[in-house]
Amino acid sequence: MRLVLVLGDQLSPDLSALQKADKDSDVVVMAEVADEASYVPHHPKKIAFLFAAMRKFAARLQGDGWQVAYTKLDDSDNAGSITGELLRRAEAYDAAGVVYTEPGEWRLINALGDMPIKTHSLPDTRFLVSHQMFDDWAEGRKALRMEYFYREMRRKTGLLMDGDDPAGGKWNYDHENRKPAPDEVEFSGPMQFTPDDVVEEVLELVAARFGDNFGTLRPFWFATDTGQARQHLAHWLKDGLPKFGDFQDAMLDDNRFLYHAIIGLYLNAGLLNPLEVCKKAEEAYRNGDAPLNAVEGFIRQIIGWREYVRGIYFREGPDYVTRNALNHSRDLPPAYWGAETKMNCMAKSIGQTRDEAYAHHIQRLMVTGNFALLAGIDPAQVHEWYLAVYADAYEWVEAPNVIGMSQFADDGIIASKPYISSGNYIHKMSDYCGSCAYKVKDKTGPGACPFNLLYWHFLDRHRDRFAGNPRMGNMYRVWDRMDADRRETVLTEAAAFLARMEAGETV
Ligand code: FAD
Ligand code: DLZ
Ligand code: SF4
């Protein structure tokens, strides 16, 4: 007999390791372990979601006739790590080896490969693109731009295709998806589930063991099995998807979810299948229930961005997370872990992250990510923060988004230019600035929005690297046309702001 490992983010019945295993003789191993729960200080909601979903998935497998050796976090003989648990179970069952589906982090891939026992790693076929397919696409290209990858994915899946042509005649409707914050949101938000006994038991465990981690545990309303996740999805497809495109980039002070799907955590843990989700979205378009800009925008995120970033993570290798092309070295300010800040956009984005283990893409990219980049924060610390605080965060998807897209620490593999903006962009896309201690219209002076100061500070200190970038020439021309005294004032005030931040002042 062999052991079949099922990790916390592999909760799919069609997992390759389960497909290859023999239900009559093999034993499934699942384990809640301290190593996985603490390699970064995960948000308590993320841990609770995974443990509850793992327990329910184990029960489902048992119901389907599998023998499952499940270890709870507080079991007295818990070895504390995935490899420790496998070795303990291998001895107990006298197993000939371990079969597993490749994990989503190099850390665990390497640890499993180094075990003193026979191992057999299988590709994770829940993704549409294998490592080989991605490498074949990437080979010989000067730049690995997502848009071209995405078009191939549309052709490969047939999603939103009319014969050989894209539905509606265009591949990408992104320019229709940038409407500023609406006055009113018509969608009631994600479906919320009342904790049952399994979830309650986990919530108590997590409160006792991880209660000090950054993040609010209750109220806890995530779906914790595929049935619930599908209900959640159906609710969103009906009421959220139609406006998803229009307001994809908008941010609101008093609405945390707008029209977003809140499915990243379910997709990444295996409760929802990406192709199934995309097919349902396409059906909504074909039935006339949702417009093309919404459905195309949504499908692009999943078969485009999601597959593309995974391809980059595995192509670039384990050192990707240590890259620091811009040599940024400031410490992550305590505001990221909940300390007070006067910047309303930061306070709101971080506050909702603390409460929900969720923030949407533009909050992650253009508020917390933008600030870290402008302020020159060490990308490794930024990476650790994002990996810890979001319920959908695993290194394969988080690192390319943070190290690459958001912090430009990979020197432009993912982004053709840094995602930076002054306060103006945040003001245009949100209602944050109205109730902020800073004034977004002030470019200098005591009330000046820090994003306005730091934006020019960033461009100035990285002039050698970016002045020649064709997409950034305009920014430098605006800067150079500014009065020399004014430029001096901006740089002095930006430096003073950074110094106050480093000294631990509330900024
Ligand atoms: P929606 O906006 O409703 O989009 C639907 C789905 O599309 C998402 O659930 C996700 O599966 C996929 N998707 C959208 N954008 C991306 C993207 N850039 N990369 C990969 N998939 C994408 N996504 C994660 O799943 N895990 C992360 O740890 C993560 N970290 C991020 C860090 C930064 C700095 C940035 C800028 C983005 C990050 N993203 C991450 C991508 C994106 O922000 C989240 O997928 C999205 O906010 C999840 O919320 P949602 O399900 O409501 O997504
Ligand atoms: C994220 C996570 C946490 C918090 N806990 C566990 C756990 O106790 N047991 C487990 O099998 N998986 C857990 N995970 C998910 C793993 O960290 C994830 O499988 C790897 O990071 C690879 O993506
Ligand atoms: Fe953020 Fe500046 Fe607007 Fe304040 S004024 S909310 S700091 S962008």
Side-chain angles (χ1 to χ4, degrees), residues 7-9 31-33 36-37 39 42 50-51 82 104-105 107:
L7 291 163
D9 55 353
E32 300 164 10
V33 291
E36 294 308 308
Y39 67 91
H42 300 286
L50 276 187
F51 285 5
I82 295 294
E105 300 193 359
R107 177 184 59 81

Side-chain angles (χ1 to χ4, degrees), residues 305 365-366 369-370 373 404-406 408 415-421:
W305 281 110
L365 188 64
M366 298 312 292
N370 186 16
L373 180 58
M405 190 188 304
S406 167
F408 208 83
S416 55
K417 72 172 184 57
Y419 279 94
I420 49 167
S421 81

Side-chain angles (χ1 to χ4, degrees), residues 182-199:
D183 289 337
E184 227 177 289
V185 175
E186 291 152 24
F187 179 46
S188 60
M191 188 169 256
Q192 308 204 346
F193 299 88
T194 307
D196 55 22
D197 291 349
V198 175
V199 178

Side-chain angles (χ1 to χ4, degrees), residues 343-346 423 426-427 432-433 436 438-440 449-451:
M343 294 176 276
N344 191 43
C345 54
M346 290 284 282
I426 296 174
H427 180 48
Y432 290 143
C433 301
C436 183
Y438 295 104
K439 291 197 179 61
V440 72
C449 163
F451 286 84

Side-chain angles (χ1 to χ4, degrees), residues 14-32:
D14 61 353
L15 191 74
S16 53
L18 289 167
Q19 298 289 318
K20 277 276 186 304
D22 183 347
K23 210 184 254 187
D24 297 327
S25 55
D26 295 339
V27 173
V28 173
V29 173
M30 296 181 71
E32 300 164 10

Side-chain angles (χ1 to χ4, degrees), residues 8-12 14-15 49 102 104 124-131 134 137 145-147 149-151 153 157 159 248 261-278 296-315 361 364 391-401 405 414:
D9 55 353
Q10 297 182 336
L11 308 179
S12 319
D14 61 353
L15 191 74
F49 162 64
E102 183 186 71
D124 193 339
T125 50
R126 297 173 301 166
F127 291 91
L128 303 169
V129 174
S130 67
H131 304 329
F134 190 82
W137 171 78
R145 294 292 160 246
M146 200 291 294
E147 182 61 26
F149 171 80
Y150 165 58
R151 291 180 191 179
M153 295 303 293
T157 58
L159 285 163
Q248 207 176 336
I262 330 294
I263 53 166
L265 76 168
Y266 306 135
L267 284 171
N268 297 349
L271 301 188
L272 290 177
N273 175 286
L275 207 50
E276 164 195 344
V277 168
C278 290
E296 186 282 315
F298 177 69
I299 286 179
R300 175 162 23 91
Q301 308 308 319
I302 296 182
I303 64 170
W305 281 110
R306 186 170 185 270
E307 296 284 334
Y308 166 83
V309 297
R310 179 173 183 267
I312 297 282
Y313 177 75
F314 282 104
R315 185 173 166 78
H361 188 72
R364 297 187 205 196
D392 54 31
Y394 303 90
E395 209 173 85
W396 66 266
V397 55
E398 173 276 334
N401 272 297
M405 190 188 304
I414 291 190

